């Protein structure tokens, strides 16, 4: 039978293995160096394998020690996350990853209202083009642009977005019909699912062969258009503030065919759906966007 190893001994091993020093582990855990050495020796005797090699400079892990550290380290990470989840602070923390332009243009301007309506919840927000992998439990949920597939993940579409040409009011004065865009500086968004060729095709026109300006984020394309650098083909959802302030206008609204699609999704592991902060945030998202709440959250 496998020997029973006390959790306290495993904690001592983890500290000594991670620090590669009995003395450093002793200082971290508030024990004596001899207590660390004794606990490790007893653990080695119980397991019947050497975990450390004693050297003149300190200690080094054996291959068995390296293998055990890998598993013990991950086990303590899981245990630590579980303890955080059942504490009052941990249970009210929402760790959210988000596509950069959605975070900058739509979510961040509304976060104050969400926090005021839910004073017990703390939001930790990170933005990036890479999707949250949910393998190390760094995030509870992700607002993604485009596809995000994975086993055990729940996806809630964030409603239809309207994609239309947008520019500053001065430039809009020269744009009365779809063909007028052919001579304009067209701002390209490299990471968009819907681009200028799609729009021109939908309106029965050949896309002009022009380089224009290129950006890899929608919020940069919108800022450039608002500053008079050209015409951006972007979502009116992401441009809400600029449209409301008049910095951007849609010169062909009602005069040309817009593109429509569901570009963003709220994604989270199915195992996380019972977490109160996630459920509250998902309901708030659904209310803000006037979309149905994902069935597993009702």
């Amino acid at each position: 039978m496998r020997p029973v190893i006390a959790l306290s001994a495993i904690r001592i091993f983890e500290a000594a293995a991670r620090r590669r020093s009995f003395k450093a582990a002793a200082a971290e855990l508030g024990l004596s160096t001899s207590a660390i050495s004794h606990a490790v020796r007893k653990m080695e005797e119980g397991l019947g394998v050497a975990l450390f090699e004693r050297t003149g400079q300190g200690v080094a892990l054996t291959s068995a020690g390296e293998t055990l550290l890998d598993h013990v380290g991950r086990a303590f990470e899981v245990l630590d996350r579980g303890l955080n989840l059942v504490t009052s602070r941990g249970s009210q923390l929402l760790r959210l990853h988000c596509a950069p332009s959605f975070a900058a243009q739509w979510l961040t301007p509304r976060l104050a209202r969400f926090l005021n309506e839910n004073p017990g919840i703390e939001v930790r927000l990170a933005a990036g083009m890479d999707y949250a992998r949910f393998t190390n439990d760094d995030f509870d949920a992700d607002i993604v642009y485009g596809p995000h597939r994975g086993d055990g993940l729940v996806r809630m579409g964030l409603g239809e977005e309207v994609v239309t040409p947008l520019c500053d009011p001065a430039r809009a004065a020269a744009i009365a019909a779809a063909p007028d865009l052919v001579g304009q500086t067209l701002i390209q968004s490299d990471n968009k699912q819907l681009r200028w060729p799609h729009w021109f095709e939908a309106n029965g026109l050949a896309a002009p062969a022009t380089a224009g300006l290129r950006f890899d984020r929608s919020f940069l394309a919108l800022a450039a258009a608002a500053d008079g650098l050209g015409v951006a083909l972007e979502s009116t959802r992401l441009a809400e503030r600029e449209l409301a302030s008049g910095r951007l206008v849609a010169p062909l609204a009602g005069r040309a065919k817009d593109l429509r699609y569901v570009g963003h999704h709220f994604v989270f592991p199915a195992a996380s759906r019972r977490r109160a902060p996630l459920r509250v945030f998902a309901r708030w998202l659904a209310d803000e966007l006037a979309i149905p709440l994902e069935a597993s959250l009702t």
Side-chain angles (χ1 to χ4, degrees):
M1 292 180 61
R2 187 182 65 197
V4 176
I5 306 297
L7 182 60
S8 58
I10 297 175
R11 171 57 83 184
I12 288 173
F13 162 77
E14 188 275 337
R18 173 169 41 81
R19 303 294 292 271
R20 300 302 201 266
S21 167
F22 286 1
K23 183 177 180 180
E28 178 180 317
L29 299 176
L31 300 172
S32 66
T33 304
S34 61
I36 298 292
S37 179
H38 176 75
V40 168
R41 187 180 304 110
K42 186 176 180 180
M43 186 172 174
E44 289 177 321
E45 291 173 354
L47 293 173
V49 296
L51 301 174
F52 292 92
E53 294 177 351
R54 279 68 172 177
T55 66
Q57 291 74 35
V59 293
L61 285 168
T62 63
S63 60
E66 291 282 6
T67 299
L68 184 58
L69 176 62
D70 178 55
H71 288 78
V72 166
R74 285 187 279 123
F76 274 119
E77 288 177 5
V78 172
L79 179 60
D80 188 57
R81 289 194 297 269
L83 292 172
N84 283 336
L85 289 176
V86 299
T87 61
S88 58
R89 178 177 175 82
S91 64
Q92 296 303 307
L93 173 63
L94 176 66
R95 300 162 301 174
L96 182 64
H97 188 271
C98 188
S101 292
F102 193 94
Q105 295 292 121
W106 191 90
L107 180 58
T108 302
R110 290 170 167 79
L111 269 183
R113 183 162 68 246
F114 171 77
L115 295 173
N116 287 336
E117 294 173 359
N118 302 278
I121 294 179
E122 175 187 349
V123 176
R124 185 182 301 162
L125 177 62
M129 291 298 292
D130 292 336
Y131 299 140
R133 302 301 177 187
F134 302 115
T135 54
N136 54 10
D137 203 31
D138 284 342
F139 298 103
D140 300 307
D142 196 355
I143 296 177
V144 304
Y145 178 72
H148 187 309
R149 306 297 180 190
D151 295 336
L153 296 182
V154 179
R155 291 169 57 87
M156 183 174 80
L158 297 186
E160 190 176 71
E161 298 180 45
V162 176
V163 176
T164 192
L166 301 171
C167 64
D168 66 289
R171 186 179 294 270
I175 303 173
D180 293 336
L181 288 180
V182 174
Q184 293 289 334
T185 299
L186 302 181
I187 298 173
Q188 315 287 332
S189 291
D190 289 338
N191 291 315
K192 299 293 289 185
Q193 295 181 61
L194 300 179
R195 305 185 187 184
W196 280 113
H198 300 105
W199 186 88
F200 279 103
E201 181 182 1
N203 284 277
L205 298 170
T210 177
L213 297 173
R214 307 187 73 94
F215 297 97
D216 65 349
R217 301 287 189 273
S218 288
F219 70 86
L220 295 175
L222 289 168
D227 287 339
L229 298 182
V231 184
L233 182 69
E234 291 292 344
S235 164
T236 57
R237 175 179 295 169
L238 298 183
E240 280 180 352
R241 288 186 299 171
E242 289 81 1
L243 289 168
S245 67
R247 294 188 67 217
L248 285 177
V249 296
L252 296 178
R255 303 177 185 178
K257 185 175 181 180
D258 295 327
L259 303 178
R260 298 174 182 270
Y261 76 135
V262 178
H264 292 87
H265 292 79
F266 184 59
V267 179
F268 57 92
S272 299
R273 67 183 181 274
R274 298 186 185 279
R275 292 206 62 222
L278 185 146
R279 297 174 70 88
V280 170
F281 184 78
R283 291 192 187 99
W284 177 81
L285 267 181
D287 289 343
E288 286 286 319
L289 295 168
I291 59 173
L293 181 65
E294 209 287 324
S296 67
L297 297 172
T298 57

